Amino acid sequence: MQGNEKAVDGGLLPDANGKDPNPPGQTEGSKWQKPRITRKSLMKCCLVKWIIASTTQQGPDSCDGDLELSMVRHQPEGLDQLQAQTQFTRKELQSLYRGFKNECPSGLVDEETFKTIYSQFFPQGDATTYAHFLFNAFDSDRSGSIRFEDFVIGLSVLLRGSVTEKLRWAFNLYDINKDGYVTKEEMMAIMTSIYDMMGRYTLPSVRDDSPSEHVERFFKKMDRNRDGVVTIDEFIETCQKDENIMASMQLFENVI
């Protein structure tokens, strides 16, 4: 995995006219690498589907290219600055902002919105706890609300970041109390919330003891010095070297 550090790419959003910005076999130039994950797989991201649904409802004529509004509580940073901070194109940022603005006219998204989003996409389970943990991972300043900038920067890492960047973000999710360490209890809480959200009627079926089995196996491998906690270095190194753990981390990526 260590040699696979380039950001992944692929058409993510329609442009202002509803067209795919990266048709099959076509790239936007040397800036982007050839897609290693497809547009279809990226569209599985719940937060992206939520945004695109709002964009489609709004129509193509409501795009604010400069990302400025006169009647919002929070006005986001300029488009050029966000483009430099993320792996999204200008058109993708415009589309993301249109949907974000439509769903969150104040310019901020709160935890209840996250819970609503994941309840809609995972009606067979209880998404409340997972949505709470995911919201806290996005809410870096612990303000109780997420700005558009934080939202797209996080999405950029999760969808197009390098392996190390994604693992750092995942560690931040597992580090519930943000003390720089992941305990077995924290890992168990995250894994249980994912299984609860997926529901008991998933195929293949999820057994009650599956979360604890995963945590016991993962934690034993990650806690190399046996001090009862996992550091970010232990987390990243173990995930990159262990194919089974890395494969299991796909479960996390599939429920963002």
Side-chain angles (χ1 to χ4, degrees):
M1 285 291 180
Q2 291 176 335
N4 195 15
E5 287 296 301
K6 292 184 179 180
V8 296
D9 179 38
L12 172 61
L13 298 168
D15 62 18
N17 297 317
K19 297 179 180 179
D20 189 337
N22 290 314
Q26 179 178 338
T27 62
E28 293 189 356
S30 59
K31 181 178 179 180
W32 299 106
Q33 300 294 322
K34 183 178 180 180
R36 287 191 287 111
I37 50 179
T38 64
R39 181 178 187 274
K40 182 178 180 180
S41 65
L42 286 175
M43 284 290 293
K44 293 179 180 179
C45 173
C46 298
L47 297 177
V48 172
K49 287 191 286 189
W50 168 65
I51 286 293
I52 290 179
S54 297
T55 303
T56 303
Q57 292 169 7
Q58 254 193 328
D61 295 327
S62 57
C63 181
D64 291 296
D66 58 358
L67 296 184
E68 291 182 358
L69 290 172
S70 58
M71 299 293 290
V72 295
R73 285 166 47 199
H74 173 75
Q75 292 187 5
E77 299 171 355
L79 184 62
D80 291 338
Q81 184 173 350
L82 283 177
Q83 190 174 357
Q85 290 178 304
T86 68
Q87 298 285 351
F88 292 127
T89 66
R90 188 180 188 87
K91 287 183 178 180
E92 287 174 335
L93 286 169
Q94 289 173 341
S95 295
L96 283 169
Y97 185 63
R98 286 167 55 201
F100 189 91
K101 179 187 67 174
N102 190 46
E103 289 291 335
C104 308
S106 68
L108 301 167
V109 60
D110 58 20
E111 184 174 331
E112 287 305 312
T113 301
F114 260 52
K115 291 179 180 179
T116 299
I117 294 169
Y118 282 88
S119 295
Q120 291 173 348
F121 286 108
F122 295 93
Q124 75 277 16
D126 182 359
T128 303
T129 304
Y130 177 75
H132 168 73
F133 290 142
L134 188 64
F135 178 86
N136 285 342
F138 274 94
D139 184 19
S140 57
D141 60 1
R142 327 308 295 168
S143 64
S145 59
I146 300 172
R147 306 175 304 162
F148 177 71
E149 300 95 305
D150 298 328
F151 183 77
V152 294
I153 289 173
L155 277 183
S156 178
V157 170
L158 290 169
L159 296 176
R160 292 179 176 170
S162 67
V163 171
T164 299
E165 288 171 338
K166 288 183 177 182
L167 290 175
R168 285 185 178 277
W169 205 97
F171 181 88
N172 178 57
L173 175 70
Y174 282 104
D175 181 15
I176 295 174
N177 65 1
K178 310 307 177 191
D179 65 351
Y181 302 96
V182 172
T183 64
K184 186 180 294 186
E185 290 74 21
E186 287 176 319
M187 189 174 290
M188 184 66 185
I190 297 294
M191 292 298 297
T192 300
S193 72
I194 293 175
Y195 277 81
D196 287 345
M197 181 175 66
M198 299 297 286
R200 298 184 181 276
Y201 302 102
T202 56
L203 294 174
S205 61
V206 176
R207 302 195 313 274
D208 289 340
D209 57 352
S210 291
S212 60
E213 288 179 351
H214 276 87
V215 170
E216 286 295 333
R217 183 169 66 255
F218 292 173
F219 204 87
K220 184 177 181 180
K221 291 182 178 181
M222 291 180 178
D223 184 15
R224 300 194 169 193
N225 61 358
R226 300 296 184 263
D227 63 351
V229 295
V230 173
T231 66
I232 190 168
D233 291 335
E234 288 176 323
F235 185 86
I236 292 175
E237 184 177 355
T238 305
C239 287
Q240 289 181 330
K241 289 184 176 180
D242 192 304
E243 293 182 359
N244 292 327
I245 292 182
M246 184 62 78
S248 296
M249 291 296 290
Q250 295 300 316
L251 172 63
F252 160 72
E253 288 192 25
N254 289 337
V255 293
I256 293 297

